[in-house]
Amino acid sequence: MPDNGDRRGRLGRVRDDAVRAAGAARTVEGMFAGVIGAVSPILRSEVWAGITVDPWTLMNTGGNYRDAVPGRLMPRMIDIEYREGDVNSLPELARRPVPVGLLRREIDGPPEHSPRYRDIIGPLGLEDELRILLRDSRGAWGALIIGLGDGPPLGPDALALAAGLSRPLGEALRRFHLTERARQEPSPVSPALVMLDAGYRPLHLTSSVAAWFEDLPPDDRTVRGRATGSRPADLPPAVYALAAAVRAPGAADSLSSLVRTRSRGLVRLHAWRLGDQPPADVAVVVEPAGPGEHAALVVAAYGLTPRERDITALVLRGHSTAEISEQARLSAHTVQDHLKSVFDKTGVRSRRDLVATLFTRHYQPALIPSGDPMQEPGPEPGPGPGPESPRTSRLPAH
């Protein structure tokens, strides 16, 4: 029987293999596939999904669903996640010091008390589900969700490996967000509208729905529904997630989320309830994200505090230190202190570098096809911790 030193060495090797796989990947989908392959000696995976989330809302924005639950179960899975609720939700994991959850360990009573176990895990012939929230000091960027089949329950070694993956894989996902470029110019396609009934079946869709939905990740685990338009609607998980969230008890009448498409850059999903228009229950609109919304996600990735975010926005608008001091009601010295922190986090040395870096990394790619050569001024931000935004900013607390 291996001693503790051998086990720790094995855990370290598997973790290192997973981190290397994440670092070598060229796409988010490839990153998740490589990580699952690397951890398979310890974390056996029958059914799994690697998802990306909006760090402001923790809502699903895509990922790798090739080996996820069957498409017929996806609406129920997302309905539980965002409307009905269950143990080990992503917001719940975000509040834990160690953002790892094993479903059966968290259930109070028989496993059938969990709607996710009763309606998803059990019917698939699985025994348990492991969730790892992938976060770094700047926020939460995704999760690994692993269905577990027959075999002994996961022990301390497996759970220690899961905990050790959260931060490095969170950093890898954040880097993908910071360096990813749109593969073509933003599409002139008009915003899309789809109206869903209480079972998330599309009742009406506009002509532009097909173009937008085909570009929303993933394309291999969309759920086909019957619509009144000219073709069936393939509804991506991100759309289901937002529709389920707005139907949750106590939810606001409307909710929004940001999703990165495969070729059209960042888009905004907006859902609202239609209580007075039966049989339609929820409407969802897909449209390009505005520059302000894009900037909000960018500053989350860099870990800027709310005050640093505001000052950065003023710098990008060309305001001087004196003007920023007046508008923000801060002394010029305090403004300079905040700017120094912003420079440190974004890896630049001056205001001009800051403007050039943010534009080149995050705005110019949407204007120039990725085949064109582009210089990126300034280094990539380092992995060091930065001040975190409070809960009121919708960033998960750590």
Side-chain angles (χ1 to χ4, degrees), residues 3-133:
D3 60 23
N4 288 338
D6 290 340
R7 287 199 300 271
R8 284 195 297 270
R10 182 173 180 240
L11 282 177
R13 288 190 295 273
V14 171
R15 178 189 177 279
D16 290 346
D17 287 346
V19 173
R20 277 194 294 270
R26 300 181 64 86
T27 65
V28 169
E29 293 83 358
M31 187 203 90
F32 281 123
V35 167
I36 285 293
V39 302
S40 59
I42 294 178
L43 296 177
R44 63 189 189 280
S45 55
E46 302 290 333
V47 176
W48 65 272
I51 70 171
T52 56
V53 300
D54 179 341
W56 299 85
T57 64
L58 293 183
M59 288 196 179
N60 183 317
T61 62
N64 188 329
Y65 287 77
R66 293 186 185 277
D67 294 298
V69 301
R72 70 181 189 278
L73 296 178
M74 188 67 76
R76 178 58 180 149
M77 182 80 168
I78 295 177
D79 195 51
I80 294 170
E81 188 71 32
Y82 293 100
R83 189 179 69 84
E84 186 173 334
D86 200 357
V87 298
N88 290 342
S89 68
L90 298 188
E92 180 184 338
L93 293 180
R95 293 190 292 270
R96 296 181 186 175
V98 179
V100 173
L102 200 56
L103 181 62
R104 294 189 66 153
R105 190 173 65 175
E106 304 293 336
I107 300 171
D108 185 15
E112 291 75 15
H113 285 185
S114 159
R116 197 160 65 250
Y117 182 90
R118 183 182 64 243
D119 297 343
I120 307 293
I121 304 300
L124 288 176
L126 302 174
E127 293 295 324
D128 210 340
E129 178 201 70
L130 174 68
R131 290 188 166 201
I132 311 168
L133 187 72

Side-chain angles (χ1 to χ4, degrees), residues 229-293:
S230 61
R231 66 185 294 277
D234 296 329
L235 301 182
V239 174
Y240 272 108
L242 198 62
V246 81
R247 295 183 65 231
D253 291 338
S254 65
L255 292 173
S256 295
S257 185
L258 295 174
V259 181
R260 187 170 294 281
T261 62
R262 287 188 293 273
S263 64
R264 292 186 175 91
L266 200 66
V267 302
R268 179 178 182 264
L269 303 184
H270 184 75
W272 65 95
R273 292 197 300 272
L274 301 171
D276 58 347
Q277 301 181 43
D281 192 63
V282 175
V284 180
V285 164
V286 187
E287 59 187 353
E293 293 170 308

